[in-house]
Amino acid sequence: MQQIRSQVTERDGLFELEAGSDVLDSPRYNHDMAPTKVRERTWNKWHITALWVGMAICVPTYTLGGVLTAYFGLSVGEALLAILFANIIVLIPLTLNAFPGTKYGIPFPVLLRSSFGILGSNIPCLIRALVACGWFGIQTMFGGLAIHLFLGSVFEGWKSLGGTGEVIGFMVFWVLNLWVVIRGAESIKWLETLSAPLLVLVGVGLLVWAMPNVSMTELLAIPPKRPEGASVVSYFAAGLTAMVGFWATLSLNIPDFSRYAKSQKDQIVGQIIGLPLTMFLFASLGVVMTAASVKLVGVTVSDPVTLIGHIQSPVWVALAMALIIIATLSTNTAANIVSPTNDFQNIAPKVINRTKAVLLTGLVGLVLMGHELLKKLGLIVSDLSLETVYSNWLLGYSSLLGPIAGIMVVDYFLIKKQQLDLAGLYRDDVYPAWNWFGFIAFGVPVVLTLLSLGSDAFSWFYSYGWFTGSALGGLIYYGLSAMRPSPTAVKSAV
């Protein structure tokens, strides 16, 4: 006989929901969005570390040093320091927002129901989902190019396909990504665990290949591309904000993964080990490889896929491309598909299951890359480059996501005191449909950011968008919520 009311039990600090008909029949619940059982929380610190190694070692990370030197006016040394500091900084919201995921086993959209409301959570979810779909398309483009070069190294005639071959590679890689995520969290876990050591090996191999062709002393001595005598502070701060923006997305939806962690210690230690050092070392490798590319292949090449494509040995090209395909797959599935899959389900859990949400994610990513795919097929001509699009995103979208991160941290730790009504997050009778405090705290920093674009005096508000947005969003949310404490703060956490 099915129980009518849901029960919440606690084991060693981890909470578990025994869903009754009140939750099972709710339009806010489906199996994929349900809290994980304690027995399903199997990721230890090394699995979390492997997750971050698998996500951080990717083509965009490799190009970060070049983005900071070319677009943000930093020297090589300053760029690498900005990357290291940014990833230490972003560990703070990543770790804090992971706490409720581990404690309650809930994904990001369900956690947002506490701070934005049961229905209101869909707004920040869709903002996050759109960004992820864009990155999914960009990473799939890199993966498709790797497949194209791999096939070109194995089959001589494939090279003649040119852009058409890249589009075919894109579609093959697109299908492969969706297949992995549809198979579930365990598939992602084992993909990350198996790929992490391979990716480290690729990095070491590329470094050994490049080092004889580059002087680190000369590289670090290259002057920055900013006005002579200009203060480094504003340029460094803007670059730091952009680098924080690189993982601003995951600092929101980290509960999508921490809900599978064995303990809070595992998620904390795994993230500390896995993120900052991996990002710093692989971005450093990108700087070294780009500098060495002139001597290696005769031209300056800023991405590893194209660089390896210049190698004359088909065997080495095929091997390297196979590993890059694995690297991009491990990044794309975890960083760019899991989140929008959960976000789209949150709209209507009874209608949209995981498979439908994955396909929807793939479709949106395909549409967003339509312009680039049509260019490769020769159907349109355009000067808009993929590199320009993604470098501009880094600063722009971090300004939008910063307030959400601040609101989430303040809501869970200061307003709700780490106590959530687990069953109530899946019903309509505990938390409000729309929490307007969350929307005011989100809207004010966003509006100020947009206004600052047209003002020289307040341009710093945009340049430091993630920091200003997260701090102001959190402060406004705390001020509004403190005036009217939520009755659900401690209602039935146990």
Side-chain angles (χ1 to χ4, degrees), residues 30-298:
N30 72 16
H31 175 73
D32 297 317
M33 300 284 285
T36 52
K37 299 293 186 182
V38 172
R39 67 176 181 274
E40 295 173 315
R41 302 178 203 181
T42 60
W43 295 31
N44 61 31
K45 60 180 177 292
W46 300 115
H47 292 124
I48 304 291
T49 298
L51 173 74
W52 278 110
V53 172
M55 289 195 294
I57 297 182
C58 60
V59 174
T61 300
Y62 179 102
T63 63
L64 286 183
V67 168
L68 287 174
T69 55
Y71 292 95
F72 290 90
L74 300 183
S75 69
V76 169
E78 292 163 355
L80 295 179
L81 279 177
I83 292 167
L84 179 61
F85 289 166
N87 284 282
I88 292 173
I89 290 169
V90 85
L91 266 179
I92 298 170
L94 272 166
T95 304
L96 293 177
N97 281 330
F99 264 77
T102 301
K103 182 176 180 178
Y104 291 103
I106 52 176
F108 165 64
V110 174
L111 176 60
L112 273 185
R113 294 173 182 177
S114 172
S115 51
F116 284 87
I118 298 295
L119 297 178
S121 62
N122 286 301
I123 304 298
C125 276
L126 290 177
I127 292 172
R128 170 65 182 99
L130 183 62
V131 171
C133 289
W135 275 113
F136 166 63
I138 290 172
Q139 291 275 19
T140 303
M141 196 67 71
F142 285 126
L145 176 59
I147 288 177
H148 170 64
L149 293 173
F150 172 81
L151 293 173
S153 67
V154 176
F155 306 106
E156 187 64 32
W158 188 271
K159 294 178 182 178
S160 63
L161 292 175
T164 301
E166 292 185 41
V167 173
I168 294 172
F170 176 96
M171 295 308 303
V172 171
F173 194 67
W174 184 85
V175 171
L176 188 59
N177 276 267
L178 302 189
W179 177 77
V180 169
V181 180
I182 286 173
R183 288 177 59 85
E186 283 298 301
S187 294
I188 295 172
K189 177 177 117 176
W190 289 113
L191 173 63
E192 303 295 338
T193 303
L194 293 173
S195 66
L198 286 175
L199 302 182
V200 172
L201 193 61
V202 171
V204 172
L206 286 172
L207 190 61
V208 170
W209 180 43
M211 283 308 293
N213 297 281
V214 66
S215 166
M216 289 302 296
T217 303
E218 292 178 7
L219 186 59
L220 293 173
I222 297 174
K225 296 178 181 177
R226 59 175 179 261
E228 190 173 347
S231 171
V232 68
V233 175
S234 61
Y235 288 89
F236 187 85
L240 186 71
T241 301
M243 293 305 98
V244 169
F246 192 82
W247 288 122
T249 51
L250 263 294
S251 72
L252 302 184
N253 76 284
I254 190 65
D256 290 334
F257 300 100
S258 66
R259 65 194 292 230
Y260 297 103
K262 285 185 172 182
S263 67
Q264 298 291 5
K265 181 180 178 181
D266 282 302
Q267 68 92 355
I268 293 169
V269 173
Q271 294 200 85
I272 291 174
I273 296 173
L275 177 59
L277 197 58
T278 305
M279 285 291 293
F280 176 76
L281 292 177
F282 201 66
S284 300
L285 174 66
V287 170
V288 172
M289 292 298 298
T290 300
S293 62
V294 176
K295 290 184 179 179
L296 290 170
V297 299

